[in-house]
Amino acid sequence: MNGKRDTLLTVRLAAEGENLSAEALPMALLGALGDGIETFVLGGARLGAEAPVFRVEQGSILLHFFSTTAIAASIFASGLGAALEAIDAGLLPGDPKRAAALSSMRRFLQEDKANARTIAFEVPERFRVEGLVKVVNVTISQNTTLRQGSLMPRVFEEGTLRGKIEKMGNEGDPGFDVRVAGEPKLIHVRATKEQLTGNPNLFLPIVARVRYRLNPATGDRSETTLVRFIDRPTDPKVVLREIVEAGTKAWADIPDPVAWLRDLREA
Amino acid sequence: MNVREKRPVIFLDTSAIISLVDSKCRHHDAMVAFFDVWSQEECTVRVIVSAIAVAEYTVKDDFPKQLFAYFDMEAFGLKAAEKAGSLRRAWDAANGKPKSNVATRDQIKDDFKIVAHAISEGADVIITADAASLAKYAAFANQTEMTEMIVWTLDKGFDVCIAKGEPPDLVSNQV
């Protein structure tokens, strides 16, 4: 295999308050479960990924999937990312092979043959950062119920947000809530601690570039995330004076800018 | 659209931005008067500039990014793209189809897209100095009931009430 070998995903079988051991999971059972998990992860096509490696660690049984980063990216993009996101949203994966594999895993948990109570899918953080998968940790248990349905389309856009911060987050959620004039609800903005260091305080006006998820059917925006703050100068007249000085100079050789623009549009 | 129930939204065409920044433009003073209103912290008007206008402006010079502290620069997204296509379709139905698909592709021009972008953002007003084409497309969109957006061409004066965020039926002045 070419390229750097990397962890694609770790599947963790665990039991609350109990240690799972390799002895608790007979080989035949482990093999059947492993096949189901492999089908779920790889979607029935190996795509260059290696067979999973089993390991017992801190009372959990782990299945490590390895591949190169490029292959991992293609596996997430070709359905694993959407399947994990669907489960996280309480929905069955749209891919029938993955949905069937998931059903077999749930049956395994319900039959309680190995004392395993949960199966967690742990995605390395870097794949979330690269936008391949929205979630990093999805867990199913014997009580997990999923319904048929479809995820909101993944349409992401960027825009400007201006308003006043009315609520700051905390250590676990370092975002903030913004009151926008004319909008009845506060808008929650996700941010990192680094982005907020030395930045606006409560009740001060802010201007920010944000990224959000758009529901094309309703126009609703969600998952608003801070891209960066835009400094708002204290004296707009001074700013405008500078802009006009530079603009007048830049357009000096165009006698009629509106005619120039019309020509550009008709070219 | 009832502007009393939401923040007034004003969309700036590239020609309006050039008029603001170039002091020799005929309508420079008018745009400066507007800027004075919009740059006030208490102003509730949302002023939007399309990324397409930024592209047009940048053909000549770097866009003055300091304006983003006062104006919302919005990307041409899915809703705008859909509006541009449906507006173009309505235009073809009313004015006859172009001779080839290549012409159709080319003729969804930037001013057309700016109008569609303004509609998709729910603009109440679009301000332009380009009375020849952009204003024509915007007026057409209004006729087709795709929008109730008002077109302000800079050579006709302004209703400053909306620029101030006031209901339009209370004041009707000209700059």
Side-chain angles (χ1 to χ4, degrees):
Chain A
M1 192 184 301
N2 295 323
K4 188 174 166 251
R5 189 171 174 269
D6 224 338
T7 301
L8 158 72
L9 178 107
T10 299
V11 182
R12 181 185 298 271
L13 279 73
E16 276 176 40
E18 292 175 40
N19 284 343
L20 285 184
S21 63
E23 292 75 34
L25 203 55
M27 213 55 195
L29 207 55
L30 193 62
L33 177 65
D35 287 347
I37 291 174
E38 192 172 344
T39 301
F40 179 82
V41 173
L42 304 179
R46 199 166 276 278
L47 283 172
E50 299 170 27
V53 173
F54 286 80
R55 187 175 297 159
V56 178
E57 182 185 296
Q58 293 175 338
S60 299
I61 295 176
L62 306 180
L63 282 82
H64 288 292
F65 286 81
F66 295 98
S67 73
T68 63
T69 302
I71 289 169
S74 69
I75 291 169
F76 280 117
S78 64
L80 178 58
L84 291 171
E85 194 178 337
I87 297 168
D88 192 50
L91 300 172
L92 278 166
D95 173 358
K97 277 186 183 168
R98 286 194 164 96
L102 189 68
S103 295
S104 74
M105 285 182 246
R106 284 165 60 208
R107 272 199 305 276
F108 174 88
L109 292 172
Q110 283 160 356
E111 286 168 6
D112 200 22
K113 288 177 183 167
N115 291 331
R117 295 284 185 273
T118 58
I119 299 177
F121 299 88
E122 299 169 359
V123 182
E125 180 78 24
R126 67 180 172 284
F127 291 118
R128 191 176 74 87
V129 172
E130 287 166 10
L132 293 167
V133 57
K134 187 188 144 201
V135 290
V136 291
N137 199 339
V138 174
T139 303
I140 62 166
S141 72
Q142 53 190 325
N143 299 320
T144 299
T145 54
L146 301 171
R147 65 184 192 284
Q148 296 278 0
S150 43
L151 283 169
M152 196 168 81
R154 302 189 69 175
V155 178
F156 287 94
E157 293 190 350
E158 195 180 302
T160 307
L161 180 71
R162 52 187 82 227
K164 286 183 180 173
I165 296 180
E166 286 206 355
K167 192 178 163 192
M168 295 299 285
N170 51 42
E171 187 76 16
D173 174 19
F176 52 91
D177 291 350
V178 177
R179 172 77 62 195
V180 173
E183 300 289 336
K185 284 184 185 171
L186 288 171
I187 295 173
H188 180 69
V189 181
R190 300 171 179 175
T192 63
K193 278 187 278 189
E194 290 73 22
Q195 285 175 311
L196 295 178
T197 305
N199 268 306
N201 294 315
L202 276 175
F203 307 117
L204 288 179
I206 56 137
V207 184
R209 291 297 291 172
V210 292
R211 188 169 154 79
Y212 53 84
R213 185 175 192 163
L214 174 74
N215 183 336
T218 63
D220 290 344
R221 295 169 180 191
S222 59
E223 299 173 29
T224 305
T225 306
L226 178 68
V227 176
R228 66 178 183 281
F229 286 109
I230 296 173
D231 291 334
R232 192 178 167 103
T234 48
D235 190 346
K237 285 187 188 305
V238 173
V239 174
L240 185 64
R241 200 180 308 133
E242 289 169 4
I243 291 171
V244 171
E245 200 178 309
T248 303
K249 200 172 156 189
W251 290 88
D253 59 335
I254 308 289
D256 184 349
V258 175
W260 173 91
L261 183 64
R262 205 174 303 127
D263 286 347
L264 181 74
R265 289 172 171 177
E266 288 170 4
Chain B
M1 185 182 297
N2 185 349
V3 294
R4 290 167 201 263
E5 293 174 358
K6 64 185 258 303
R7 294 170 69 198
V9 177
I10 292 180
F11 212 89
L12 297 185
D13 176 34
T14 319
S15 56
I17 297 159
I18 300 170
S19 296
L20 173 65
V21 306
D22 183 358
S23 62
K24 76 169 179 300
C25 283
R26 208 149 54 91
H27 308 294
H28 174 69
D29 291 344
M31 285 305 299
V32 169
F34 272 126
F35 181 85
D36 285 345
V37 175
W38 296 329
S39 59
Q40 299 302 312
E41 217 154 73
E42 63 274 17
C43 180
T44 58
V45 176
R46 182 169 180 236
V47 184
I48 301 177
V49 175
S50 172
I52 292 172
V54 174
E56 285 187 324
Y57 187 102
T58 307
V59 171
K60 178 69 183 115
D61 191 37
D62 291 347
F63 192 89
K65 294 187 186 65
Q66 305 97 307
L67 288 176
F68 296 154
Y70 310 100
F71 304 159
D72 292 357
M73 197 285 288
E74 293 296 340
F76 188 84
L78 176 66
K79 277 167 69 185
E82 288 174 337
K83 284 284 179 207
S86 55
L87 182 60
R88 178 73 227 189
R89 199 164 61 221
W91 177 267
D92 288 347
N95 298 285
K97 285 191 175 181
K99 288 175 187 163
S100 72
N101 285 336
V102 174
T104 305
R105 184 193 66 202
D106 291 345
Q107 286 174 19
I108 303 184
K109 290 184 174 173
D110 285 348
D111 45 358
F112 214 94
K113 289 175 191 160
I114 289 172
V115 170
H117 197 175
I119 296 169
S120 74
E121 293 287 350
D124 298 288
V125 171
I126 185 165
I127 299 181
T128 182
D130 181 6
S133 61
L134 186 136
K136 185 175 65 184
Y137 297 141
F140 172 77
N142 200 303
Q143 284 165 20
T144 58
E145 298 182 355
M146 196 175 271
T147 176
E148 293 178 23
M149 181 173 70
I150 300 164
V151 188
W152 285 352
T153 48
L154 280 170
D155 56 350
K156 289 185 179 167
F158 303 98
D159 293 320
V160 293
C161 49
I162 295 181
K164 287 180 177 170
E166 296 164 355
D169 52 344
L170 295 182
V171 190
S172 187
N173 292 334
Q174 289 200 330
V175 173

